[in-house]
Amino acid sequence: MGHPFPIREIARQAGLSEATVDRVLNGRGGVRESTAQEVRRAIADLDRQRTQVRLVGRTFMIDIVMQAPERFTTAVRAALEAELPSLHPAVLRSRFHLRETGTVRELTATLDRIARRGSQGVILKAPDVPEITAAVGRLTAAGIPVVTLVTDLPASSRLGYVGIDNRAAGATAAYLMGQWLGDRPGHVLTSLSSGFFRNEEEREMGFRGAMRARHPHRALVEIAEGQGLDANQYDLVRATLERDPEIRAVYSIGGGNIATLRAFEDLGRACAVFVAHDLDQDNTRLLREHRLSAVLHHDLRQDMREACHLVMRAQGALPPAGPTLPSAIQVVTPYNLPPATGV
């Protein structure tokens, strides 16, 4: 396991003791495979953040805790690591705790470990449930500021929220859907990854409210709990399409769009309008292939920069500022894809 980093830096990045890291690096045994994987991930993180490791100054270690499909967490990681070198006057380093699925108990255990170990800040994407709200309270009590990303926990003691106005995004999707469908018949499928993420709930409410006001006779069919994962999504969409032959369009709130389109294709069905969220690698390719009508996107680099600034202000490294405004909602079509779409 070759690397140029001191054991103390690896231990700090991994959140482990130096003795444990030393045992892993020297193959002495007595550690679980999961612990060895944490050490390997820490070395990989340090390698990507190499410029930060070499800087001298007041260093803040922040933890990014997210439950989301890998395609989205990959985009968030890339956005943050692209911003880290410019976040002066402090030096910021990041540890990642990323999961596609899992129980609320596992997620709160991760947050409680961070509270015990210490951190200068947590950037969090998690379900809006009482157990998570309580865990955020414990982080705050430990002096660790929490910033929610993309989806909010408004009843918690979080420091702030960074992301779009999700109700406005849902209403924007409804406007586009109505314009493009026009008077053509057909039902609209709305797809959520989970009903426990507030951002998805708010997008669905914004979409449903605008559709009801502008197109009251258009039927909406909802599916949920696919977790944005292709295998789950395909089964849910296919079963719904088989039950309802009138579905002609999709508003995808929670992802899994490749699987959704495959379900349409396997049943020989056309999708007249498809509006999705986030310009990740999958959606970028689908737009280029003209298989999506539009993607509602926001600048993840700007979001991560603002989240880090909130943490830095909480730690006294930046002067106070006004309230954080919602991120701008960008409507991206196959004809206005930005040059760099990875983040």
Side-chain angles (χ1 to χ4, degrees):
M1 200 182 296
H3 61 86
F5 307 109
I7 285 178
R8 67 177 179 277
E9 288 291 350
I10 300 172
R12 185 180 186 196
Q13 186 72 31
L16 300 169
S17 70
E18 292 184 26
T20 298
V21 172
D22 181 71
R23 285 199 300 274
V24 172
L25 295 179
N26 291 288
R28 295 198 177 96
V31 293
R32 296 188 298 270
E33 175 57 27
S34 60
T35 303
Q37 289 177 358
E38 289 181 36
V39 171
R40 289 192 284 269
R41 281 195 297 269
I43 292 172
D45 287 344
L46 286 170
D47 193 54
R48 283 192 302 271
Q49 299 172 39
R50 189 184 296 262
T51 56
Q52 298 299 100
V53 175
R54 292 174 178 171
L55 293 178
V56 176
R58 187 178 178 190
T59 300
F60 295 145
M61 182 68 78
I62 59 174
D63 289 89
I64 294 81
V65 182
M66 298 183 65
Q67 182 171 315
E70 184 179 1
R71 58 181 172 271
F72 185 70
T73 59
T74 297
V76 169
R77 182 198 288 267
L80 175 60
E81 291 180 344
E83 287 297 311
L84 287 180
S86 65
L87 292 171
H88 305 305
V91 179
L92 267 76
R93 300 253 303 278
S94 54
R95 294 183 291 230
F96 295 91
H97 314 266
L98 311 176
R99 61 197 312 134
E100 288 197 306
T101 60
T103 66
V104 169
R105 177 177 294 182
E106 290 169 336
L107 196 52
T108 57
T110 297
L111 297 174
D112 286 340
R113 280 197 301 272
I114 294 170
R116 291 192 299 270
R117 182 186 62 206
S119 176
Q120 276 72 55
V122 171
I123 298 174
L124 176 64
K125 179 185 182 296
D128 184 12
V129 295
E131 296 90 339
I132 299 295
T133 296
V136 171
R138 292 190 289 274
L139 284 164
T140 303
I144 301 172
V146 178
V147 177
T148 52
L149 174 71
V150 179
T151 184
D152 200 9
L153 302 169
S156 74
S157 58
R158 56 97 169 115
L159 177 65
Y161 163 72
V162 174
I164 59 174
D165 180 330
N166 285 293
R167 287 198 186 220
T172 301
Y175 175 78
L176 296 173
M177 185 70 68
Q179 292 292 105
W180 285 331
L181 276 180
D183 295 329
R184 287 179 290 173
H187 301 167
V188 178
L189 179 69
T190 63
S191 170
L192 294 82
S193 72
S194 172
F196 292 105
F197 286 102
R198 178 169 286 268
N199 66 325
E200 296 192 18
E201 178 186 17
E202 291 182 343
R203 291 172 187 177
E204 194 275 337
M205 292 171 67
F207 182 80
R208 188 173 293 276
M211 288 294 288
R212 186 182 299 118
R214 298 174 60 89
H215 310 281
H217 303 299
R218 181 79 67 182
L220 306 181
V221 182
E222 180 181 316
I223 61 172
E225 305 310 319
Q227 306 303 320
L229 304 178
D230 285 344
N232 299 346
Q233 185 72 6
Y234 178 85
D235 292 339
L236 284 169
V237 174
R238 179 165 182 141
T240 305
L241 292 177
E242 288 174 341
R243 288 194 302 270
D244 190 336
E246 301 303 316
I247 294 174
R248 296 285 185 273
V250 174
Y251 174 37
S252 174
I253 300 170
N257 300 324
I258 290 176
T260 296
L261 286 165
R262 182 159 53 88
F264 272 88
E265 292 163 0
D266 288 353
L267 292 173
R269 301 267 290 275
C271 184
V273 181
F274 198 130
V275 179
H277 279 271
D278 301 318
L279 207 55
D280 56 31
Q281 289 185 344
D282 286 356
N283 286 343
T284 297
R285 178 166 64 83
L286 293 173
L287 270 177
R288 286 183 176 142
E289 295 171 354
H290 291 248
R291 299 172 70 193
L292 298 182
S293 307
V295 169
L296 302 182
H297 182 59
H298 52 108
D299 188 340
L300 278 176
R301 287 186 60 166
Q302 178 181 321
D303 288 349
M304 300 311 294
R305 182 167 60 250
E306 182 58 34
C308 291
H309 282 169
L310 285 170
V311 171
M312 292 164 71
R313 291 187 192 106
Q315 298 292 351
L318 288 177
T324 302
L325 299 176
S327 305
I329 301 168
Q330 304 170 18
V331 179
V332 184
T333 73
Y335 301 99
N336 70 329
L337 275 163
T341 56
V343 297

